[in-house]
Every structure is written in structure tokens, then in C-alpha cells.
Amino acid sequence: MKIEPIKPHIGARVHVDPDQLTDPQVVQACREALDTYGVLVFPKLNPTNHQQLAFTDALGGRVDYSKAIDGGKAGTEDVYTVTLNPEINSQKEYVTGTFFWHIDGLNMDNLLLPKATCLSARHVADKGGNTQFANVYAAYEALSDEEKAEIEGLRVKHNLVTYLSSIVEEPTAEELARWGRQPINEWPLVWHHESGRSSMILGSTANHVVGMDLASGLALIARLQEWSAQPDFVYEHKWEQGDMVIWDNHGTMHRALPYGETSRREMHRTTIAGTEPVPGPDKVRKAA
Ligand code: OGA
Ligand code: MN
């Protein structure tokens, strides 16, 4: 196996045979590389669902938080299909929702934030559909001491209803009720990890910085996202069919560049469970 860095702050390519993905040495090296590089690209790996799930399990166990979502059956348990093809995925707002910076799993009942997400490309878009990843460890580290002090201790409510309402024209009562079944969760803006490193929990689901007026809080989040999305901290992946990419969901935010329904873009997604709790009294409040 060979690991080859892509940019100083983010990204590495891993060259390995798909049969060796669950070799304990490969798994350990990938775990460490995930923390170091934030995003690992396995060019043209062409994993089967079974191989992708086995790798997911070896890295820390699978989570199927897409179970709550009706769309996106991939034909294999615990594999979710990210696609705008209406024959496969009937709930396209969760997919168009990926067109904006986000971190996976912030609006789930389970507050152990998924450690990583794994995507493999089954069909690529003919236009658009690259995925961008921003290293929010590096972005935090590069803030001035003054800026770090300004955001220390802040907490942010993440709300799926306000977010999806902003990207779906005239949502139906049924849609609003469905999105509303996901909890509004409050997360710290700065996450001081057990490793001693610190990252930021950002994303388009953020809708209220606690203790700030709405506009000032949202402007702060927007500024931190713009800061984190500067080219030095970002890796943009142009997909080839068969590529597999895995990202550290604790230390990066990501978004897909828009693609159309007719593009037949199809990704198979698996999710790796987290074990490190986010500190603080995580308050979970059910949406109305
Ligand atoms: C996701 C996601 C990005 C993409 O599945 O969580 O954000 O490029 N996907 O499909
Ligand atoms: Mn995502």
C-alpha cells in the first residue's frame, strides 16, 4: 500500500488492492492518514458494496443513519445511494442539501457524530458533481488568537427544517413534518478534541448562535465558512467512475458542486461510527 499526500493541508491518495482493505495494517494506516490528511482518495478502487462495508466495519463500525430516510435504497443493507435519479431516490432534498457546506449527522438523535463517511462513484456526472472538502482543523489553527477568543465557548443550534426550507420551494406539510422529526441539536462551535487538536463545527444547518442575535450569529458562521473554504484548506475531488473517497467527518466540512437530475450521478455511501463524544451539555430538542 502507498499513501501519497495531495496538498499540504488536505488530501492524500491511497493505492491499495480492494482485497487488502481489511488487512489490519492497512486499516491502521488509513485511520492515521484520515486524521493527518482529512480526506483519502482511493483512485479507481471499484469496491463492491461488500468490500466497502467490510472496510467501514474495520474502521470503526457502520452506522446507517439513512435508515430514517425513505429514499436511496442501494439494494444492500446499510448502503445509501446518493443520487438525484427519482427512480432510486424519492427524497431529493437530502441530496440537493449536499450542495452546501455541511458536516454529516448533525441532526440525528445519536450525538456521537459519525467519524467518517465513505463514498464510491458508480456513475459520474457529465457536468458538475465534484466534491469539495475543507480542513476545519487547519482553518481553526490559522485564526488569530483574537478570533479564537471571540468564538471560544459559543454554541450553535443546527436545524434541518430551516435549512431545507431555504432550498425547497414551497415545502409541503408532509415534508415539513418529516424534516421536523429530526432533532434540533446544539453543538459547540469549537471542538477541542481528545487529541489536543481543535476543529470547528460549521455547516449550512447552523441557524442560531446561542446568545447572539440571529443576523450577527449567521454572519459569524458565514465568515468562518468562507475562511475555511479558502483554497489552501480545500481539496476538490473530480470523480472518475470507481473512485472511493473517505473523509474525516470530525475535522472537515464538505459539499458537492451542483449536478442535474439527468446526469445519472450515483454514489454509494457508508458511514463510520464515531467514538469520541463532543464535549458539553449537548441539548437535543425535538423540532415542533
Ligand atoms: C454525502 C455528501 C457529497 C457528494 O453523501 O453526505 O455530502 O459529492 N455527498 O455526493
Ligand atoms: Mn455529506
Side-chain angles (χ1 to χ4, degrees), residues 82 98 102 104 119 131 239 247 254 256 265 267 269:
V82 180
T98 67
H102 67 281
D104 293 332
L119 276 190
T131 310
W239 294 92
W247 63 90
H254 61 283
R265 186 186 194 267
M267 303 282 172
R269 182 175 76 184

XYZ file of all heavy atoms in Angstrom, residues 82 98 102 104 119 131 239 247 254 256 265 267 269, ligand 1:
130
model
N -26.544 7.966 -3.077
C -26.655 9.411 -3.244
C -26.876 9.649 -4.731
O -25.964 9.461 -5.540
C -25.361 10.119 -2.789
C -25.498 11.630 -2.960
C -25.019 9.757 -1.348
N -26.742 18.503 -0.136
C -25.277 18.326 -0.087
C -24.550 19.372 -0.928
O -23.321 19.389 -0.948
C -24.844 16.918 -0.578
O -25.118 16.801 -1.977
C -25.539 15.809 0.183
N -21.390 21.359 4.699
C -22.029 20.710 5.842
C -21.111 19.659 6.446
O -20.081 19.297 5.869
C -23.368 20.077 5.438
C -23.226 18.917 4.490
N -23.005 19.086 3.138
C -23.258 17.575 4.697
C -22.896 17.901 2.560
N -23.055 16.955 3.483
N -21.706 15.764 8.179
C -22.758 14.739 8.192
C -23.204 14.410 9.618
O -22.379 14.310 10.528
C -22.245 13.454 7.517
C -22.001 13.647 6.021
O -22.669 14.500 5.410
O -21.141 12.924 5.472
N -17.617 7.271 0.276
C -18.411 7.323 -0.951
C -17.653 6.630 -2.066
O -16.442 6.841 -2.200
C -18.604 8.769 -1.423
C -19.694 9.681 -0.892
C -19.724 10.941 -1.764
C -21.050 9.026 -0.890
N -16.635 17.058 -5.639
C -16.892 17.243 -4.202
C -15.719 17.999 -3.590
O -14.554 17.684 -3.883
C -17.084 15.888 -3.500
O -18.032 15.116 -4.237
C -17.612 16.080 -2.079
N -14.431 13.306 -9.760
C -14.665 11.865 -9.693
C -14.428 11.159 -11.014
O -14.827 11.645 -12.074
C -16.116 11.603 -9.270
C -16.436 12.043 -7.888
C -16.940 13.268 -7.521
C -16.289 11.287 -6.683
N -17.108 13.309 -6.155
C -16.721 12.107 -5.625
C -15.839 9.992 -6.403
C -16.717 11.678 -4.295
C -15.833 9.557 -5.087
C -16.270 10.395 -4.049
N -13.734 10.618 4.122
C -13.310 11.857 4.779
C -13.555 11.814 6.281
O -14.457 11.125 6.757
C -13.973 13.086 4.167
C -15.458 13.171 4.266
C -16.201 13.733 5.267
C -16.408 12.730 3.272
N -17.540 13.659 4.974
C -17.699 13.059 3.768
C -16.299 12.101 2.019
C -18.868 12.769 3.053
C -17.467 11.812 1.322
C -18.719 12.153 1.847
N -17.806 19.525 3.987
C -17.767 19.187 2.569
C -19.031 19.634 1.867
O -20.042 19.944 2.513
C -17.580 17.667 2.407
C -18.697 16.857 3.013
N -18.806 16.641 4.371
C -19.767 16.238 2.452
C -19.888 15.910 4.611
N -20.491 15.663 3.469
N -21.006 19.060 -2.353
C -20.928 18.641 -3.758
C -21.171 19.876 -4.610
O -21.990 20.734 -4.248
C -21.986 17.588 -4.049
N -25.667 10.747 -11.972
C -24.617 10.618 -10.939
C -25.123 9.701 -9.832
O -26.244 9.875 -9.331
C -24.274 11.992 -10.373
C -23.082 12.009 -9.383
C -22.986 13.411 -8.829
N -21.789 13.759 -8.123
C -21.613 13.662 -6.800
N -22.568 13.137 -6.045
N -20.522 14.077 -6.228
N -23.672 7.629 -6.285
C -22.614 7.321 -5.327
C -23.160 6.343 -4.295
O -24.307 6.497 -3.846
C -22.207 8.591 -4.549
C -21.748 9.728 -5.415
S -20.073 9.381 -5.903
C -19.846 10.695 -7.067
N -22.866 5.250 -0.481
C -22.335 5.832 0.745
C -22.459 4.889 1.933
O -23.481 4.243 2.136
C -23.084 7.123 1.087
C -22.513 7.778 2.349
C -23.153 9.102 2.631
N -24.481 8.898 3.178
C -25.318 9.890 3.455
N -24.990 11.131 3.179
N -26.484 9.643 3.980
C -22.979 12.909 1.492
C -22.449 14.007 0.686
C -21.351 14.588 -1.375
C -21.336 14.147 -2.796
O -23.312 11.858 0.931
O -23.069 13.087 2.719
O -22.301 15.092 1.155
O -20.464 14.633 -3.538
N -22.113 13.721 -0.577
O -22.199 13.355 -3.188
